[in-house]
Amino acid sequence: MEQTEAWEKMMDTVRDPHPALRERRDAGEKVVGYFCSYVPVELIHAAGAVPVRMLQGPAPGDVAGAYMQPFCCSFARSLLEGLGNGTYDYLSAVVMPHTCDTIRNLSDLVETAAPGLRVMRLMVPTTVHTPEAVDFMVEELAALRPDLEGVTGNEAGGADLRESIRLYNRCRSALDGLREAGPGNRRLYAAYLALQLTGPEEFLDMMGRVEAGGTEAGTRRVAVIGGPVPQLEVFDLLEEYGMRVVWDDLCTASRFAAGMVAEDGEPLRALAERYLGRCPCPTKLDPANRREQELIAGIGESGAEGVVFAQQAFCEFHSFDYPGLKERLDAEGIPSVRLDLEHPFQPTGQMRTRLQALSEILGEGM
Amino acid sequence: MARRLKLLCEKTMKEVMTAYYTEAFTSDRPKAWVTSGAPVELLLAAGVIPIFPENYGAMIGAQHMGGDLCAAAGDMGFDDCVCSYARSTIASTARGEGPLGALPAPDLLLACNNGCGTMFKWYEVLSRRFGIPLLFFDTPYCAGEPTPQDRAYLVRQLERILSELGDILGREVDRDRLWETLQVSSETAKLWTQIQDLRRARPSPLNSPDMFVHMALIVTLRGTQTAYDYYRDMLAQVRERVERGEGAVEDEKYRLLWDHIPPWYALRDLFDFCADLGACFAVDTYTNVWQGEFDMARPLESMADCYQMIMPNLRLPLRAAMYVDYIRDYEIDGFVIHSNHSCKSYCLGEYEIARRITAETGVRGVILEADMVDPKFYSESQVKQMMQAFLESLD
């Protein structure tokens, strides 16, 4: 397959994952949606279902408007819209974890807006660094497992779960390798998203067909920090201003792929330890301020010269963190700008002005 | 003009709150800032003075200082989507401004996420700014009865908090004193529940704005004899009012339910406007949150249950069922939901709850858009027009 064609296939998976997933449903496979990077995909996969991250929903419309206030983020509004209007009609179930207040409450609204869809709750603890939190997560995973098995009719324990753990670890390694090779913003972030929008086997197959290097663009090295950024257009926009993303803390990219699950030991505990052990997302308690420390360390290691905050508009959790992180970056002399994302993504004049300013600052320093 | 029937205990309230804040500002005892839904009994038993920034946010709102302080928080980088209690009190501390100036600086923090996730984010900011420890009680969202893993997780956390509190203070928390505090807290909550029950009378002896004032002690001082004595007296006085057939609103015509925290800056103005039209808010969801009664045969488990199962931490079907019960038990004619701009936890689901209430009871409601502290999201004329039209539609 031609390189362009192989990459285009991956881009298609990201742009519109729904037709392929519908085909798989029609072929008898079970597709299970999940809402955030704290849901162990390995468990869904081990049960024999295709784990698909809830991304790429339609523009919020009548369904979202009937259930959610306009001051809720358009990311969540878009997903409810999609669940209510049939965009995700291929799903057999969704796993909804406790993350922010919006997603927590959304779990109840999904049951009403999408009647017939099985909603499974995963009470991911807000505290992630204590032994009791890990034990609680293990218990929650143990409670989720039979629910998933009920959807597929397959057992999700023992050898199957270990195999799923190994498979996803390989996917994460492949993503690490791709980042090292520097394929450019669009290709790198398409690969992260592709893993979340299809099964690990299909992802590894796609990764086997693409070549990693060659298209690196942009001379201004930036780190991007935020929540879910499922739109490749955001990364295109950065590239338009000469920015190459060399490090990120995004839950649809590095935070999703960070850290391996131990392949020995008790699988559920290994999953709990990996998922809770990552640098916490803003919806989790972070008493040691790891997020700030890892941002500064990541900037140092990657050679990023500036930071782009890419967070969902109306996201209270990221908004609480922003002033402290910005203050620290200012103190370190690292320039930053903030983009408040709406779904569907439209680059606004304000975003362009901010990126232009950052680009000029970084250009001056070169 | 709407009449305001004052209870004798209101004078006591002023004295008690003045004494409380005087002690908080002048005492050498350790002080903790604490969220309203956190297990304050742990602090009281440890001899720590609890201070409630949420109460202070309400005071900031009521004294019309919310606009300026929220704008100041915006200058500090905090968006409008951040809780206005948090924004206004963070700015109050930074600027040294507020109804009583800045609150006394804390030695430690205690937060719980049973009201919302906002709480721990807010307290993380405080922890970093003050450079002090944050004790956190993580309460899983509750679908009904707590699961065994919920309970085990919660009890282990209570043990951890007690241990860490002891480490911070340099002395162990006296368990006997904790049990005594829980007992008093429980008895006080029982009185508060009995007062709420009396509001079922026709006419209702208490209007929600009265409760928004009287709730100060159940939030701030539950677990103390002072709060117990206050509500014991209040209960007696409300009973007398019911026996006299005296209503909080003259010629009570409409009995309403209020949902959510009120817009504090419009507290009297909005509720007096409604009272002038004959509307009494005979029940509200907000002041009913503080009702936990502990089983002293298993105190820590019982604390775990009570603190997990408060209303904002319950799944929507349970919350909706509670609202339906209120509508029936208090013979409510209509409900008013405050869609509070900076409070997603309590608000998201309100549209569906409104539909379920109407479907199950036939009672209709109205949704007002505003914010609890930041007046920027409040349009007085629009809200009043909406309320007037709604009340007329109930005729």
Side-chain angles (χ1 to χ4, degrees):
Chain A
M1 193 181 281
E2 289 273 329
Q3 269 310 293
T4 311
E5 198 183 330
W7 277 112
E8 270 311 307
K9 186 168 185 292
M10 195 176 285
M11 301 297 170
D12 285 346
T13 300
V14 172
R15 262 192 299 265
D16 186 8
H18 310 301
L21 292 165
R22 245 174 236 122
E23 277 178 27
R24 296 181 74 165
R25 185 268 321 267
D26 292 344
E29 288 190 82
K30 301 290 184 189
V31 184
V32 171
Y34 64 96
F35 269 74
C36 106
S37 73
Y38 277 92
V39 175
V41 283
E42 294 87 346
L43 201 55
I44 299 172
H45 183 263
V50 186
V52 173
R53 179 96 178 251
M54 298 302 295
L55 302 169
Q56 319 304 36
D62 291 345
V63 178
Y67 291 95
M68 301 176 77
Q69 282 91 340
F71 52 73
C72 298
C73 73
S74 60
F75 178 72
R77 288 162 56 80
S78 153
L79 297 181
L80 187 70
E81 187 73 30
L83 286 163
N85 77 2
T87 302
Y88 301 106
D89 58 1
Y90 47 81
L91 295 175
S92 295
V94 285
V95 181
M96 301 197 66
H98 184 173
T99 57
C100 63
D101 292 332
T102 299
I103 296 295
R104 184 195 78 167
N105 289 19
L106 193 68
S107 66
D108 292 320
L109 299 178
V110 167
E111 285 183 333
T112 308
L117 179 67
R118 179 98 186 262
V119 177
M120 301 172 188
R121 288 178 180 75
L122 178 66
M123 269 311 312
V124 180
T126 297
T127 303
V128 292
H129 64 287
T130 62
E132 60 266 27
V134 175
D135 289 348
F136 178 69
M137 182 73 169
V138 172
E139 297 277 353
E140 283 291 299
L141 294 178
L144 176 64
R145 182 157 61 183
D147 288 346
L148 289 167
E149 291 170 342
V151 169
T152 60
N154 301 324
E155 286 192 9
D160 289 336
L161 183 52
R162 287 179 199 283
E163 182 50 33
S164 295
I165 286 172
R166 277 193 288 272
L167 204 50
Y168 271 101
N169 279 346
R170 277 180 59 204
C171 294
R172 293 185 186 108
S173 294
L175 285 167
D176 286 347
L178 184 65
R179 181 179 275 283
E180 286 290 312
N185 292 348
R186 168 166 274 263
R187 289 181 171 182
L188 175 63
Y189 287 95
Y192 277 116
L193 291 166
L195 174 57
Q196 296 162 77
L197 292 166
T198 186
E201 297 90 345
E202 294 73 19
F203 172 75
L204 288 171
D205 181 60
M206 281 192 278
M207 286 296 287
R209 293 172 194 276
V210 297
E211 280 179 12
T215 63
E216 193 71 271
T219 53
R220 292 156 171 84
R221 299 169 68 85
V222 297
V224 180
I225 179 167
V229 182
Q231 307 99 337
L232 291 176
E233 293 79 5
V234 174
F235 303 101
D236 293 344
L237 185 65
L238 300 185
E239 207 157 284
E240 212 180 294
Y241 289 91
M243 296 178 194
R244 186 200 310 173
V245 182
V246 292
W247 188 86
D248 77 72
D249 179 26
L250 300 174
C251 72
T252 45
S254 290
R255 207 178 322 133
F256 171 81
M260 298 292 164
V261 180
E263 295 181 9
D264 49 2
E266 203 286 308
L268 292 186
R269 184 158 294 275
L271 287 171
E273 286 172 349
R274 181 266 168 184
Y275 278 84
L276 298 188
R278 293 169 298 160
C279 180
C281 130
T283 66
K284 302 298 170 206
L285 187 72
D286 184 11
N289 210 355
R290 272 182 69 189
R291 210 165 161 246
E292 181 181 306
Q293 290 170 26
E294 296 207 11
L295 171 64
I296 298 301
I299 288 170
E301 287 162 16
S302 65
E305 298 151 314
V307 171
V308 177
F309 287 89
Q311 64 186 58
Q312 295 293 321
F314 300 108
C315 177
E316 188 184 21
F317 287 72
H318 278 274
S319 296
F320 262 116
D321 282 2
Y322 171 74
L325 294 173
K326 170 82 167 66
E327 204 173 300
R328 177 68 193 272
L329 291 173
D330 289 349
E332 300 278 341
I334 301 164
S336 65
V337 292
R338 175 168 153 180
L339 309 180
D340 283 349
L341 306 178
E342 298 261 17
H343 191 84
F345 177 69
Q346 284 294 332
T348 62
Q350 187 188 55
M351 286 180 193
R352 289 187 175 282
T353 305
R354 289 178 179 182
L355 290 172
Q356 179 67 39
L358 180 63
S359 180
E360 285 172 12
I361 291 167
L362 298 180
E364 283 165 11
M366 287 173 62
Chain B
M1 284 289 288
R3 69 173 174 179
R4 282 183 207 156
L5 285 177
K6 290 196 171 182
L7 293 167
L8 289 173
C9 60
E10 280 188 36
K11 188 166 172 289
T12 316
M13 160 78 77
K14 283 183 187 151
E15 291 166 4
V16 168
M17 290 309 287
T18 301
Y20 161 72
Y21 274 110
T22 300
E23 188 187 18
F25 273 93
T26 58
S27 173
D28 290 335
R29 285 164 57 204
K31 300 171 189 78
W33 286 14
V34 54
T35 62
S36 63
V40 66
E41 294 86 356
L42 305 178
L43 299 173
L44 292 171
V48 175
I49 298 175
I51 297 170
F52 292 79
E54 287 157 82
N55 271 15
Y56 205 55
M59 286 168 67
I60 287 169
Q63 300 210 13
H64 302 276
M65 300 175 84
D68 283 348
L69 288 173
C70 286
D75 293 340
M76 295 168 71
F78 293 98
D79 279 5
D80 287 348
C81 72
V82 169
C83 164
S84 55
Y85 277 165
R87 280 186 287 142
S88 59
T89 53
I90 287 170
S92 164
T93 303
R95 285 185 156 198
E97 293 174 11
L100 304 170
L103 282 174
D107 301 292
L108 67 133
L109 302 158
L110 174 62
C112 178
N113 58 349
N114 53 4
C116 52
T118 300
M119 293 301 173
F120 85 85
K121 295 304 294 180
W122 176 7
Y123 277 58
E124 268 187 351
V125 171
L126 296 174
S127 174
R128 289 166 193 162
R129 285 179 178 261
F130 285 114
I132 55 173
L134 165 59
L135 306 175
F136 175 57
F137 190 39
D138 180 15
T139 49
Y141 195 40
C142 193
E145 280 298 301
T147 63
Q149 63 259 35
D150 287 350
R151 200 172 272 151
Y153 178 45
L154 290 161
V155 169
R156 283 176 72 183
Q157 289 183 81
L158 287 171
E159 292 285 6
R160 174 186 288 277
I161 292 170
L162 281 166
S163 165
E164 291 180 353
L165 187 54
D167 291 344
I168 293 166
L169 298 174
R171 55 185 152 80
E172 276 189 31
V173 180
D174 183 331
R175 296 289 171 122
D176 289 336
R177 193 167 170 204
L178 175 57
W179 309 149
E180 285 165 19
T181 306
L182 287 173
Q183 185 72 48
V184 175
S185 179
S186 201
E187 294 296 329
T188 307
K190 198 180 290 179
L191 292 170
W192 183 244
T193 304
Q194 288 173 304
I195 292 166
Q196 295 282 11
D197 286 345
L198 287 174
R199 299 173 70 190
R200 299 176 193 211
R202 270 183 186 273
S204 179
L206 292 163
N207 195 3
S208 286
D210 303 324
M211 299 302 279
F212 294 139
V213 174
H214 287 290
M215 69 185 280
L217 298 191
I218 193 74
V219 177
T220 313
L221 293 171
R222 68 182 184 279
T224 67
Q225 192 62 38
T226 306
Y228 176 85
D229 292 346
Y230 179 82
Y231 290 116
R232 182 197 57 209
D233 294 347
M234 181 178 172
L235 177 64
Q237 289 165 27
V238 176
R239 264 200 195 117
E240 285 169 17
R241 190 182 275 188
V242 172
E243 283 162 11
R244 289 197 299 270
E246 203 171 54
V249 168
E250 202 165 9
D251 300 325
E252 177 185 287
K253 189 175 175 188
Y254 313 104
R255 294 168 66 82
L256 303 181
L257 174 149
W258 175 269
D259 180 47
H260 216 292
I261 301 167
W264 292 106
Y265 44 83
L267 186 65
R268 283 299 170 194
D269 181 59
L270 173 61
F271 286 93
D272 282 356
F273 174 80
C274 295
D276 282 339
L277 297 171
C280 177
F281 289 84
V283 68
D284 52 85
T285 57
Y286 182 45
T287 64
N288 269 290
V289 166
W290 288 271
Q291 292 203 337
E293 291 179 31
F294 306 117
D295 176 357
M296 295 311 297
R298 46 177 201 100
L300 288 188
E301 275 193 17
S302 178
M303 276 183 90
D305 291 355
C306 286
Y307 278 104
Q308 183 189 17
M309 293 180 69
I310 72 164
M311 188 271 287
N313 203 40
L314 297 177
R315 283 195 46 211
L316 185 142
L318 297 176
R319 274 187 283 149
M322 285 173 76
Y323 287 39
V324 165
D325 286 344
Y326 287 141
I327 297 281
R328 288 179 176 143
D329 294 346
Y330 290 76
E331 298 178 345
I332 294 300
D333 305 307
F335 58 90
V336 179
I337 287 176
H338 173 198
S339 179
N340 187 346
H341 184 272
S342 63
C343 183
K344 294 187 183 71
S345 164
Y346 203 153
C347 285
L348 181 50
E350 283 175 335
Y351 295 174
E352 177 60 15
I353 286 175
R355 282 190 288 270
R356 291 190 189 189
I357 293 173
T358 303
E360 290 198 35
T361 66
V363 171
R364 290 178 295 110
V366 64
I367 296 178
L368 309 179
E369 303 288 339
D371 186 89
M372 55 198 173
V373 175
D374 193 343
K376 160 164 67 178
F377 300 100
Y378 181 73
S379 164
E380 181 187 331
S381 59
Q382 199 176 7
V383 166
K384 285 182 175 172
Q385 277 176 27
M386 194 183 275
M387 279 308 304
Q388 184 158 11
F390 176 60
L391 293 174
E392 285 169 3
S393 78
L394 296 178
D395 286 335

